[in-house]
Amino acid sequence: TYTELIPYRNTLTTSYRFDKPLWVESQTLCVTKGFHFKTKRELVMRKIAITPQSTRELINMLSVHARLTHLNIRQVDEVFQTQKHYYVSYMYFNGATFADHIMNGGAELSMPQIRTFFKELLHTLGYVHKHGVMLRNLDASNVLFDGKRVLLIGLSRTRIVRTAKPKAKPGKYTDNYSSLMYKAPEVLAKDYDQRADLWAVGMMMYMMLAGAIPFAFKNVDDLAKQIQETPIKMDALTKKKVDQTA
């Protein structure tokens, strides 16, 4: 049960100093920067309202973290439970989301840094898949980058897709939580596997280099249709005269 996974602590406020929230999502989730007095480290604390769904997601996240110890995957430091909330602490990482880098047109990143980002992201994704996990919600807002190091965050909706047996085959799943522009055609067809994560990486790469997504669309339904029916063209990369080393 989740009570076996989540230790209760009554020293939450005496062990940590909380600063102003970094962002708030309705009344169910609040992310705050803080400071741990004992270790003298900056950290990020997620305050999550206790619901059946948040409990399932937290149990899933802790199960996934038990498998994944890669340097490029954000690790959970501590988990606390009060009467109404879970508190999950992580190390603080001073990097912007890759979505921020894309919105800025990658102007602050050199081509070697962009290559480093995708090399590290693909290496980390290979590690994740090798350990029988599918991210499912991979998009540019769930990857941090400081110019040197990649950090995957947001593992609450990942899925363990196979056992530790070497010959076990990945299953296929019909739910996915990433933003529409990162969804593979197979995801929209509700029949996909771990390779959907690779599509999301490809979309990030295209948007960073071209400064736009590879589809022309009028609305959300039209975008979904384009993803399923339109082959990706490299015209935007050619017009922008992207460095050939990319």
Side-chain angles (χ1 to χ4, degrees), residues 24-30 47-49 85:
V24 178
E25 182 179 316
S26 67
Q27 296 180 350
T28 62
L29 176 64
C30 176
K47 177 183 177 182
I48 309 166
H85 295 92

Side-chain angles (χ1 to χ4, degrees), residues 2 28 31-32 47 71 168 170 192-193 210:
Y2 73 87
T28 62
V31 179
T32 304
K47 177 183 177 182
L71 179 65
Y192 67 98
D193 54 29

Side-chain angles (χ1 to χ4, degrees), residues 124-140:
T124 307
L125 192 58
Y127 169 89
V128 169
H129 288 175
K130 182 179 179 180
H131 284 75
V133 174
M134 176 168 57
L135 295 180
R136 298 201 303 160
N137 64 335
L138 180 60
D139 61 39

Side-chain angles (χ1 to χ4, degrees), residues 5-244:
L5 290 172
I6 305 169
Y8 177 79
R9 298 285 187 274
N10 58 7
T11 58
L12 186 62
T13 55
T14 58
S15 298
Y16 295 91
R17 183 192 74 230
F18 298 106
D19 300 327
K20 293 182 178 180
L22 298 175
W23 60 276
V24 178
E25 182 179 316
S26 67
Q27 296 180 350
T28 62
L29 176 64
C30 176
V31 179
T32 304
K33 185 178 177 183
F35 183 82
H36 189 256
F37 294 122
K38 186 176 181 179
T39 60
K40 302 186 184 304
R41 290 195 307 140
E42 290 184 307
L43 56 91
V44 173
M45 181 72 78
R46 297 178 73 218
K47 177 183 177 182
I48 309 166
I50 296 178
T51 65
Q53 179 178 342
S54 68
T55 299
R56 288 193 300 269
E57 290 183 355
L58 187 55
I59 293 171
N60 179 69
M61 181 183 69
L62 294 175
S63 299
V64 170
H65 274 292
R67 286 178 173 237
L68 305 178
T69 57
H70 197 282
L71 179 65
N72 292 349
I73 298 173
R74 185 171 67 176
Q75 300 299 313
V76 174
D77 285 341
E78 290 188 282
V79 181
F80 306 94
Q81 179 186 344
T82 62
Q83 187 174 1
K84 296 182 179 181
H85 295 92
Y86 298 125
Y87 293 82
V88 185
S89 69
Y90 310 87
M91 70 168 188
Y92 176 71
F93 183 77
N94 188 24
T97 68
F98 203 64
D100 292 330
H101 290 300
I102 290 174
M103 289 181 65
N104 292 332
E108 72 277 25
L109 297 178
S110 65
M111 191 57 67
Q113 286 178 317
I114 293 174
R115 286 199 297 268
T116 295
F117 171 84
F118 286 107
K119 180 180 178 180
E120 290 297 309
L121 180 56
L122 288 168
H123 180 273
T124 307
L125 192 58
Y127 169 89
V128 169
H129 288 175
K130 182 179 179 180
H131 284 75
V133 174
M134 176 168 57
L135 295 180
R136 298 201 303 160
N137 64 335
L138 180 60
D139 61 39
S141 64
N142 285 332
V143 188
L144 302 179
F145 186 55
D146 65 358
K148 296 180 180 179
R149 180 184 168 195
V150 165
L151 192 69
L152 283 180
I153 63 175
L155 300 186
S156 62
R157 289 174 172 172
T158 52
R159 175 73 65 85
I160 296 174
V161 295
R162 66 172 184 263
T163 65
K165 295 179 181 179
K167 294 184 179 180
K169 294 182 179 179
K172 293 186 177 181
Y173 301 92
T174 59
D175 53 346
N176 182 276
Y177 298 92
S178 61
S179 300
L180 178 59
M181 68 182 68
Y182 298 98
K183 291 184 186 292
E186 293 79 6
V187 173
L188 298 177
K190 301 186 183 301
D191 184 14
Y192 67 98
D193 54 29
Q194 288 173 308
R195 289 172 291 182
D197 290 339
L198 289 172
W199 174 279
V201 175
M203 290 300 294
M204 279 188 259
M205 186 180 298
Y206 188 101
M207 287 190 285
M208 168 55 74
L209 296 175
I213 68 172
F215 304 106
F217 62 96
K218 299 176 182 179
N219 51 49
V220 172
D221 291 337
D222 188 35
L223 174 58
K225 182 179 180 180
Q226 293 291 327
I227 292 172
Q228 290 180 288
E229 300 178 359
T230 305
I232 292 179
K233 297 180 180 180
M234 299 299 170
D235 296 354
L237 298 181
T238 303
K239 291 178 181 179
K240 198 173 180 181
K241 297 181 179 180
V242 173
D243 189 329
Q244 291 301 306

